[in-house]
Amino acid sequence: MPELPEVETVVRGLQSVLSGRTIVSVRLGKTDFIKDPVAVAELLPGRKVEKVERLGKFIRLQLRSGATAKNPEQGLDLLVHLGMTGWLGVRRPEDPVPPHTHVFFELENGRELRYTDIRRFGQMFLSPSEGIGRFGERLGKEPLEISAADFQTRLAGRRARIKAVLLNQHVLRGIGNIYADESLWQARIHPARLATRLSVEELRRLRMAIRNVLRHAIEDRGSSISNFVDAEGKPGEYQQRHRAYGREGKPCFRCGTKIKRTIVAGRSSHFCPHCQRPPRTGRGRRA
DNA sequence: AGCTCTTCCTGAAAGC
DNA sequence: TGCTTTCAGGAAGAGC
């Protein structure tokens, strides 16, 4: 499932093949995950992809139209969220089209930018480039960029369980269920702890764990769970380094205790019951 | 404010 | 064996 490292992997793959390319035409299949499909179909042809970047779990394609004296350049961005099963990549038109491919952008160099999404939990929408600042602010901070001081104040004020806080894209952007569990395991913090009860030292440890986990995951080109593959179709390898996620019943890499799985904040959560001590008022579990 | 539950969707895996 | 049910989860919205 695409989280920050997977989206970063896709974005890096897209940059080389998509930057400078112009969209010639648009073909759409199912459109229930697109906010304004008519606008996508009508406004994108003729626009050039200037830049590809990641905003949390969103992929941002910065598009520019051919500016004339009469028509000053109107910056437009296409934002794509891969949801659970989304894939975005460039193919040749003659390449086989996987099932559930719903968006085709024909490019001027004869290639095709395609969007495939089995479950259609993804999102696609347009935004004026000027509005992207406000969009980014609502999203919370990049976990690899946030300062230690900012991290402390943002998280310490939260009364929710730390797992819920990590998944909240308005606090930090880009962390999903896998990397929340992996980071909490590395920081030795139980997912059901209340964020506001974490010590300064624990918050420091958590920030470092998040940075460490995300950086290694990016190096490994993400985790291939749910058939994730990058923009070229290559799987990631970080799933081989998971220490908590998906390891229920297997020994903890630190102490050998069996990893447990419970529901915290409505999400399946994996942790070591020995290294990650539950809160005193311990709840937040269910069979 | 933040919790739980529900909805969206499909395919894999578990259950019978 | 083969059909049915459950589960997975990112995000948003309802209701409490």
Side-chain angles (χ1 to χ4, degrees), chain A residues 37 53 107 154 174 194 246:
Chain A
E53 67 173 3
L107 304 174
R154 274 183 172 253
L194 299 183

Side-chain angles (χ1 to χ4, degrees), chain A residues 12 25 49 100 105 116 135 137 173 190 212 214 223 232:
Chain A
R12 289 182 182 185
S25 67
V49 180
H100 309 289
F105 296 115
T116 305
F135 176 77
E137 281 161 31
R173 62 191 189 202
H190 192 285
N212 192 38
L214 292 180
S223 304
E232 293 168 25

Side-chain angles (χ1 to χ4, degrees), chain A residues 146-162 165-166 171-172 189 193-204 206-207:
Chain A
I146 190 170
S147 71
D150 201 359
F151 188 88
Q152 295 272 342
T153 46
R154 274 183 172 253
L155 273 73
R158 294 276 163 170
R159 267 167 283 183
R161 303 180 191 285
I162 187 61
V165 174
L166 291 181
V171 180
L172 295 172
I189 296 169
R193 297 275 304 281
L194 299 183
T196 187
R197 297 270 180 82
L198 296 179
S199 68
V200 169
E201 163 60 17
E202 285 174 322
L203 284 171
R204 191 196 63 77
L206 179 57
R207 175 170 168 274

Side-chain angles (χ1 to χ4, degrees), chain A residues 25-36:
Chain A
S25 67
V26 176
R27 273 183 296 133
L28 302 176
K30 290 188 179 176
T31 58
D32 54 358
F33 60 95
I34 305 175
K35 199 171 278 175
D36 188 347

Side-chain angles (χ1 to χ4, degrees), chain A residues 25-70:
Chain A
S25 67
V26 176
R27 273 183 296 133
L28 302 176
K30 290 188 179 176
T31 58
D32 54 358
F33 60 95
I34 305 175
K35 199 171 278 175
D36 188 347
V38 175
V40 168
E42 290 181 354
L43 296 180
L44 293 197
R47 288 185 189 261
K48 181 190 279 191
V49 180
E50 190 160 86
K51 195 176 162 190
V52 186
E53 67 173 3
R54 180 185 58 75
L55 288 177
K57 297 178 195 170
F58 286 89
I59 298 166
R60 177 192 183 199
L61 302 188
Q62 268 181 261
L63 306 170
R64 293 285 177 273
S65 60
T68 63
K70 277 195 169 180

Side-chain angles (χ1 to χ4, degrees), chain A residues 3-10 174 179 213-214 217-218 221-222 228:
Chain A
E3 303 178 26
L4 188 152
E6 290 77 27
V7 178
E8 181 68 27
T9 301
V10 170
Y179 298 105
V213 164
L214 292 180
I218 290 170
R221 298 182 354 275
F228 167 79

